[in-house]
Amino acid sequence: MKITAIAFTVFMTFILAPQFGAAADFEKGLEAAQKGDYRTAIREWEPLAEDGSAIAQSNLGLVYRLGQGVDKNIVTAIKWYTLAAEQGYAEAQSSLGLMYLNGEGVLRDFQKALKWYTLAAEQGDADAQYNVGTMYDKGLGVDQNYAVAAEWYRLSAEQGIAFSQYNLGLMYRGGQGVARDDGEAVKWYRLAAEQGFASAQTNLGIMYAFGYGVPRSYIDAYMWGGLGASNGSPNGGKLRDDFARKMTATEVKEAKRRARDCVKKNYKGC
């Protein structure tokens, strides 16, 4: 299961004139946090959080969770996250989902994890969409449902989440929750591969190796397998080495050249 990244929320302008002062205080706290001065950030955010600012509550949840500028206190972190989440703040909802999923400071509860992830996902949070998809995919806290999983993966994949792109590729390749379609599998594998996702690079190589959804090409199979191996996929190295034995020396040389060029292009357009 993926552990989603956590970061401070960017400053958002308050709309109502009476809140301009509060906005300035939040900004001061944010600037302090970005400089590593979490004590000042907490001092600026706590009054705002007590007054009901969801963004301040969520950020306090984060500093207490990580122990930044204050002793680590998961119970306090959950308190602030919950207050923000109950106001509909997606980042806090997603963070609570992760804590219930992993049993961090709370009893592990897949159903509560799914509840909070879903609320965030419905607001367009791409990481939460991925996690909801994974829970339906694996049947965690809910009956396993590949079709629903694929729907959530797609929403996340369209926002550029490589894990979701890869998983959607797997589903199209295996016909799980969607009609089997090798062309679609290649499309999603490629999008993840272009982000340096090692397993997607390897699977894209396999598609080229056997001509699934693309013209068969040992050169492309070798290239993508090798790129996957260089990014940590053991199967990528096996794919590369297996097909090297079926290729001429000239073909291997060309595949290596393409791989070097692909790295220079940051895996785009290879």
Side-chain angles (χ1 to χ4, degrees):
M1 180 72 65
K2 178 191 177 190
I3 303 300
T4 57
I6 304 169
F8 282 108
T9 307
V10 296
F11 172 70
M12 297 178 65
T13 304
F14 289 80
I15 297 174
L16 299 177
Q19 292 179 311
F20 285 163
D25 291 340
F26 182 85
E27 176 76 356
K28 282 166 54 178
L30 185 62
E31 289 176 355
Q34 290 171 336
K35 295 175 182 177
D37 183 3
Y38 297 108
R39 291 182 184 275
T40 297
I42 292 167
R43 188 167 62 248
E44 297 294 338
W45 288 339
E46 278 188 335
L48 304 178
E50 295 286 359
D51 285 342
S53 167
I55 189 172
Q57 291 167 344
S58 183
N59 282 358
L60 282 180
L62 177 59
V63 295
Y64 276 101
R65 182 181 179 188
L66 300 181
Q68 294 175 316
V70 68
D71 290 340
K72 184 174 181 178
N73 190 321
I74 297 298
V75 172
T76 302
I78 291 171
K79 179 193 86 169
W80 287 119
Y81 276 143
T82 301
L83 287 170
E86 289 174 345
Q87 293 193 69
Y89 195 66
E91 280 200 22
Q93 292 168 339
S94 189
S95 294
L96 274 180
L98 180 60
M99 296 178 83
Y100 277 107
L101 179 69
N102 293 333
E104 183 184 349
V106 292
L107 290 176
R108 194 176 199 190
D109 189 324
F110 291 145
Q111 290 183 336
K112 287 184 179 178
L114 182 62
K115 166 194 166 181
W116 289 115
Y117 274 142
T118 301
L119 289 170
E122 288 173 344
Q123 295 189 65
D125 184 296
D127 286 325
Q129 290 168 343
Y130 164 80
N131 284 318
V132 173
T134 299
M135 296 190 79
Y136 275 98
D137 193 356
K138 305 299 182 185
L140 301 176
V142 68
D143 291 339
Q144 189 175 54
N145 189 318
Y146 292 131
V148 174
E151 291 173 5
W152 284 112
Y153 282 148
R154 186 183 308 281
L155 289 171
S156 178
E158 288 172 347
Q159 294 195 65
I161 301 299
F163 281 92
S164 293
Q165 293 167 342
Y166 172 69
N167 283 356
L168 199 52
L170 290 176
M171 299 188 93
Y172 272 109
R173 175 72 185 121
Q176 288 184 312
V178 293
R180 182 169 176 172
D181 188 326
D182 285 341
E184 281 292 300
V186 167
K187 167 189 167 181
W188 292 111
Y189 283 152
R190 189 181 302 280
L191 286 170
E194 288 178 345
Q195 296 192 61
F197 195 93
S199 295
Q201 292 172 334
T202 296
N203 282 17
L204 185 56
I206 291 171
M207 302 299 275
Y208 275 107
F210 296 99
Y212 298 145
V214 286
R216 190 172 189 177
S217 170
Y218 287 174
I219 290 175
D220 285 297
Y222 182 105
M223 179 190 78
W224 283 113
L227 291 171
S230 69
N231 285 314
S233 169
N235 289 335
K238 186 176 185 302
L239 175 71
R240 176 198 59 208
D241 296 342
D242 284 350
F243 280 89
R245 290 189 283 271
K246 302 177 182 181
M247 298 164 64
T248 66
T250 299
E251 288 173 330
V252 170
K253 183 177 179 180
E254 173 63 12
K256 290 180 177 180
R257 182 193 68 77
R258 290 192 193 178
R260 289 192 299 270
D261 288 347
C262 190
V263 171
K264 291 177 183 177
K265 294 189 292 185
N266 201 26
Y267 309 118
K268 304 295 192 298
C270 302

